[in-house]
Amino acid sequence: MKVVLLPGDGIGAEVVAEAGKALAAVAPDVETSEHPIGLEAIARDGEALPAATLAACEESDGVLLGAVGAGDYSWSASNPEDGMFALRRALDVYANLRPFRAGAIDLVIVRELVGGLYFGERGTRADGTVFDTCEYRPDEVDRVLRRGFELARRRRGRLTSVDKANVLATSRLWRERATALAADYPDVELDHLLVDTAAMRLVEAPESFDVIVTENTFGDILSDVAAALAGGLGVAASASLGDAGPGLFEPVHGTAPDIAGRGVANPTAAIRSVAMLLEHGLDRPAEAARLDAALNRVAAGLRTPDQGGNATTAELGDAVVAALGADARQELADA
Ligand code: IPM
Ligand code: MG
């Protein structure tokens, strides 16, 4: 099995280094290779997603991405973010699963990842007007909705489809398709929420949600809201899956330029993303569970600054590796 590591920008390299150690410790047979994406790639090759990086990803069994972005929003020929968008699109990983767990909160946001406002036509007209468009074909909506239904069926059986159907045509299609597909999933209870209401409800009563399925931009925004309620971006992992081919696994995101280079970023989101890679990408649920358990035990005692502690990125990563080793020795002793 082959996994591609894409450290990317900002804290990406710092957290992916720890994620790589954790992967090597829990699944030593998995081969890894590292490739540039984002700013580093632009500096080296002039493009955010070099052809060699994409080829390596396409030939792999799973891709682990750190983060990309410069924190500079001026127009340029090649933005670091474009590399990530191109990669998401090339792998056609349309279903981005973002689980959030903390106390009574246990929900998953399924964010449509390769369409909608992010990928619609955009441009500038002669009079200076700038536009972005949101478009969806019915089959693009159906395939991600089905992922939502299937996930809900394996969990608590409740799916909330989030849209802005009182305003947007794409949202009316979204709602119509969700209602039509519900007939195929009689065991799932479907409801619809407008995105503004969903944001409010997430803050007021996050424990009331099971699975949320929504458009790309809505999912981006709501997942940061959910992250804020469940420990922050430092602990939020994600899996982006298509129908075939490798999945893309990454923290819910942030290059965190304010703390980059200081070795204090929380690697939990990246290591959790490795657990999601093992489970969803490599079909190795036992190792995924071992890694999750090790991480839970470490996180209970060792905290990086975002969680109110003073542990470093590497200390947390090393502790996870040590916990995996201790578990393995315990299993041998028990056997
Ligand atoms: C995310 C991030 C990205 C996105 C940014 C970095 C472009 O916010 O994965 O949520 O909007 O998709
Ligand atoms: Mg985001």
Side-chain angles (χ1 to χ4, degrees), residues 9-243:
D9 306 321
I11 60 165
E14 298 166 48
V15 297
V16 166
E18 302 311 315
K21 281 193 220 163
L23 176 61
V26 76
D29 58 301
V30 172
E31 246 177 71
T32 58
S33 63
E34 222 176 272
H35 298 270
I37 191 170
L39 283 177
E40 187 197 354
I42 294 174
R44 226 201 274 179
D45 301 297
E47 12 169 33
L49 179 64
T53 295
L54 177 58
C57 293
E58 281 170 335
E59 282 156 23
S60 77
D61 300 294
V63 179
L64 184 75
L65 173 68
V68 294
D72 168 7
Y73 302 110
S74 57
W75 296 96
S76 77
S78 191
N79 285 309
E81 286 86 349
D82 291 342
M84 184 181 61
F85 296 143
L87 181 62
R88 289 173 176 176
R89 186 81 162 194
L91 299 178
D92 200 24
V93 285
Y94 59 85
N96 177 218
L97 276 43
R98 300 184 154 186
F100 299 94
R101 230 170 271 123
I105 302 172
D106 182 2
L107 65 92
V108 182
I109 294 179
V110 181
R111 168 188 178 192
E112 201 291 324
L113 201 62
V114 297
L117 195 52
Y118 275 58
F119 290 94
E121 201 188 322
R122 60 179 114 256
T124 308
R125 295 204 187 91
D127 69 353
T129 306
V130 173
F131 61 93
D132 300 279
T133 55
C134 185
E135 289 181 34
Y136 271 116
R137 284 194 320 267
D139 61 300
E140 292 174 314
V141 174
D142 283 10
R143 63 182 189 170
V144 69
L145 284 169
R146 284 194 186 280
R147 284 291 179 126
F149 278 109
E150 278 150 24
L151 184 62
R153 156 179 283 179
R154 295 197 305 273
R155 289 173 43 96
R156 302 196 303 281
R158 290 210 325 275
L159 180 66
T160 304
S161 172
V162 170
D163 60 41
K164 190 72 185 177
N166 53 348
V167 182
L168 303 175
T170 43
S171 281
R172 287 195 279 274
L173 170 70
W174 191 278
R175 192 172 282 223
E176 201 181 286
R177 294 311 306 155
T179 304
L181 293 182
D184 293 345
Y185 305 89
D187 48 333
V188 175
E189 192 190 313
L190 169 73
D191 64 347
H192 306 273
L193 275 186
L194 296 172
V195 64
D196 47 351
T197 313
M200 185 174 67
R201 189 82 56 85
L202 254 182
V203 173
E204 282 177 355
E207 68 288 343
S208 67
F209 290 98
D210 182 8
V211 179
I212 291 172
V213 62
T214 192
E215 186 268 338
N216 203 339
T217 312
F218 296 160
D220 175 45
I221 298 166
L222 292 181
S223 58
D224 270 28
V225 174
L229 299 166
L233 287 178
V235 298
S238 87
S240 305
L241 308 170
D243 289 323

